[in-house]
Amino acid sequence: NAGVTQTPKFQVLKTGQSMTLQCAQDMNHEYMSWYRQDPGMGLRLIHYSVGAGITDQGEVPNGYNVSRSTTEDFPLRLLSAAPSQTSVYFCASIAPSGANVLTFGAGSRLTVL
Amino acid sequence: AQKITQTQPGMFVQEKEAVTLDCTYDTSDQSYGLFWYKQPSSGEMIFLIYQGSYDEQNATEGRYSLNFQKARKSANLVISASQLGDSAMYFCAMRAYTDKLIFGTGTRLQVFP
């Protein structure tokens, strides 16, 4: 049981490059989400999914795409990276029952030059 | 729309004293959950405590308690007998029904000897 696994941990991109942040969980969680954390801004929700085939926008979705083809995986795509997307990204999931506690990945630090 | 507000960017407390971190929320849903998370300098997100909107008693977990005042839409975290290891960022979060989970901007707590 690995929990929520995010890759890569660190990434440096040039403006205009594309990349995918991977997120996988092995807990059969229906709800998965991506947040970005910036100083003074807390954690802001980018996109979330309540199950395979279902995604929805959060507070700051512009510049990011997601898909949810399986229950386990929820990748976050940056199609054309911008310096404003420099941030720490967290993937998190919630169990289908119980107290709705978010289980977080370890985070991915992205720098866009 | 849901909203979480943490108005204290930073708080100081002396070791062994109690401290209250403020959190107010806004939602039109009747069913929701409130959460507190701790983020130490290492960066991981640690779940502390949960309160459901229909729970009549305030939640407690060891030295943590959640002062839930539904009419005032507040969910303050109380840490009793502060320890040096409590120095961290603290985030309040809310999830209405089966919707998305959103966070406040956080409060940085510093415990001094």
Side-chain angles (χ1 to χ4, degrees):
Chain A
N1 189 339
V4 178
T5 304
Q6 275 182 248
T7 55
K9 278 185 144 353
F10 301 94
Q11 183 73 48
V12 178
L13 289 177
K14 293 181 180 177
T15 296
Q17 286 185 316
S18 62
M19 77 156 298
T20 299
L21 295 174
Q22 301 290 346
C23 177
Q25 51 89 12
D26 60 357
M27 299 171 285
N28 201 32
H29 287 179
E30 293 291 336
Y31 180 101
M32 295 186 73
S33 53
W34 278 101
Y35 295 87
R36 60 177 289 174
Q37 184 176 18
D38 304 290
M41 306 291 286
L43 280 85
R44 293 182 292 170
L45 181 66
I46 305 171
H47 286 285
Y48 68 106
S49 169
V50 297
I54 305 168
T55 63
D56 207 344
Q57 296 181 349
E59 302 163 283
V60 289
N62 292 341
Y64 307 95
N65 281 347
V66 292
S67 59
R68 185 91 181 272
S69 55
T70 67
T71 299
E72 294 77 20
D73 299 298
F74 191 45
L76 179 72
R77 297 182 185 86
L78 286 71
L79 297 179
S80 180
S84 61
Q85 294 178 303
T86 293
S87 188
V88 178
Y89 292 85
F90 286 97
C91 180
S93 66
I94 296 177
S97 61
N100 290 300
V101 175
L102 264 181
T103 301
F104 279 86
S108 300
R109 183 174 293 275
L110 174 66
T111 301
V112 183
L113 302 176
Chain B
Q2 302 172 54
K3 188 177 181 182
I4 287 275
T5 302
Q6 294 180 255
T7 57
Q8 306 157 313
M11 290 285 286
F12 288 89
V13 66
Q14 191 165 28
E15 203 176 4
K16 300 179 185 175
E17 297 293 311
V19 64
T20 298
L21 306 183
D22 293 341
C23 174
T24 58
Y25 62 92
D26 190 22
T27 180
S28 55
D29 289 284
Q30 297 301 308
S31 177
Y32 52 89
L34 297 154
F35 309 78
W36 278 92
Y37 282 82
K38 172 184 178 181
Q39 186 180 43
S41 58
S42 54
E44 75 266 33
M45 296 292 290
I46 302 169
F47 166 74
L48 295 178
I49 197 166
Y50 166 82
Q51 178 87 40
S53 59
Y54 293 116
D55 295 339
E56 294 186 353
Q57 303 236 351
N58 286 343
T60 59
E61 291 286 349
R63 295 185 298 109
Y64 303 108
S65 60
L66 199 153
N67 185 359
F68 181 46
Q69 297 189 41
K70 198 169 182 177
R72 297 180 61 185
K73 292 190 174 179
S74 74
N76 298 339
L77 178 70
V78 180
I79 305 175
S80 62
S82 297
Q83 302 172 356
L84 295 178
D86 293 334
S87 294
M89 282 290 290
Y90 288 81
F91 293 98
C92 181
M94 175 177 70
R95 187 183 190 203
Y97 193 42
T98 58
D99 202 354
K100 54 189 177 290
L101 195 152
I102 61 169
F103 286 81
T105 52
T107 296
R108 181 171 297 282
L109 176 66
Q110 295 191 52
V111 181
F112 59 93

